[in-house]
Amino acid sequence: MSVARTFRTARSGLLAASAAVTLLLSGAAATAPASATTTTTTGLDGTYACSVPAGYVYDGVSMNRACSGGGSWNTPQFHLRTPVDGLTACTSAPGFTYDSIGHSTTCSQSSGTLASTFHLRIPAVGMWACSVPSGWTYSATGSGLDCAAVQGVPGTRFLLSH
């Protein structure tokens, strides 16, 4: 990668991080956790930032120097997303559950290492899910690879009820 391209990439990351901080300080960005009914994107959706603000998840990690504070070491930069039903993300979100766990390097902060991904879902009665969200209960359990926290080791899934 050329020095000019590296500089433009780092500059773009710093500008995105600066914009995120400006939005958060001005109150223009949502800072409350997203509700399970979130269906539209918000101000920081699709941008990169050095941290993940409340109300957002991330669906990718880029290891670069943009967030190192001028250092020469790589640090994580997160691709922010507004949680919505059906999004595959690197973390879960309040008010959501997930119905499958994947394993990919997309969310990894260590080159070549697999990290978990989560297929976010709005909870519904009768849904099989890998987690029981706050305020919900379950009426049955099962086992399967779709909820495998460790790749290849079956995990527990829950039949949600309210």
Side-chain angles (χ1 to χ4, degrees):
M1 182 182 291
S2 72
V3 172
R5 185 169 177 214
T6 302
F7 177 75
R8 281 193 304 271
T9 302
R11 183 171 176 233
S12 295
L14 288 174
L15 289 174
S18 175
V21 169
T22 301
L23 281 171
L24 286 174
L25 292 176
S26 71
T31 56
S35 72
T37 59
T38 301
T39 57
T40 59
T41 59
T42 56
L44 297 176
D45 188 73
T47 63
Y48 282 88
C50 298
S51 62
V52 181
Y56 291 89
V57 295
Y58 60 100
D59 66 355
V61 176
S62 174
M63 296 301 291
N64 57 56
R65 293 182 178 97
C67 298
S68 70
S72 60
W73 56 90
N74 286 335
T75 56
Q77 192 176 33
F78 304 95
H79 185 248
L80 301 178
R81 295 301 308 272
T82 302
V84 294
D85 189 57
L87 175 70
T88 297
C90 303
T91 60
S92 189
F96 285 82
T97 187
Y98 47 96
D99 63 359
S100 68
I101 300 173
H103 305 282
S104 167
T105 57
T106 303
C107 296
S108 180
Q109 295 182 34
S110 180
S111 181
T113 303
L114 294 176
S116 295
T117 60
F118 305 89
H119 186 247
L120 301 181
R121 296 298 311 273
I122 295 172
V125 172
M127 171 191 289
W128 283 99
C130 302
S131 69
V132 180
S134 179
W136 288 76
T137 189
Y138 57 97
S139 58
T141 62
S143 179
L145 291 176
D146 51 347
C147 294
V150 176
Q151 191 173 18
V153 178
T156 303
R157 46 190 190 150
F158 306 89
L159 185 59
L160 298 181
S161 60
H162 218 311

